Amino acid sequence: VMYAGRVVEEGPTGSVFAAPRMPYTRGLLDSVVDVEIPPHSLLHTVAGRPPTLTEMPSGCRFHPRCSRMNERCAVHAPAFDENPESQRWACWSPLKGLEE
């Protein structure tokens, strides 16, 4: 998964879909239309606006739109972290996977 020109999460498709760690990935998955919901239902969107290519935010590029943002996010771009299933994510406040 890429956001604003940077890879923010990667791994086996099943692992990423089942337990996303990056809030942006979770937002994308939540925004997939479910054909079983009633017509005219409100759809989930990722809050905020993406950055322009000429004015990228400092730190994590997703931080202005992220509900889990903290001061560190605004200053420093996160390095990749990973789990045993070869899933990698770049986030200072990652989701816990299946619980969120």
Side-chain angles (χ1 to χ4, degrees):
V1 177
M2 290 188 73
Y3 183 78
R6 286 190 181 157
V7 175
V8 294
E9 186 161 6
E10 62 184 18
T13 304
S15 296
V16 173
F17 278 32
R21 297 301 182 99
M22 178 66 185
Y24 179 64
T25 306
R26 173 83 273 152
L28 289 178
L29 293 172
D30 287 347
S31 68
V32 173
V33 176
D34 181 348
V35 296
E36 305 220 359
I37 64 170
H40 308 291
S41 296
L42 291 177
L43 301 177
H44 175 80
T45 61
V46 177
R49 299 180 64 111
T52 64
L53 295 176
T54 58
E55 296 179 18
M56 290 292 174
S58 60
C60 174
R61 292 180 177 180
F62 186 62
H63 87 265
R65 302 175 72 187
C66 186
S67 63
R68 299 174 69 91
M69 191 275 289
N70 60 52
E71 290 181 31
R72 187 178 193 187
C73 303
V75 178
H76 302 287
F80 275 103
D81 200 355
E82 57 188 279
N83 68 15
E85 292 83 35
S86 301
Q87 187 174 341
R88 298 173 4 120
W89 59 90
C91 184
W92 294 118
S93 299
L95 302 171
K96 292 182 173 76
L98 296 175
E99 301 95 53
E100 297 186 58

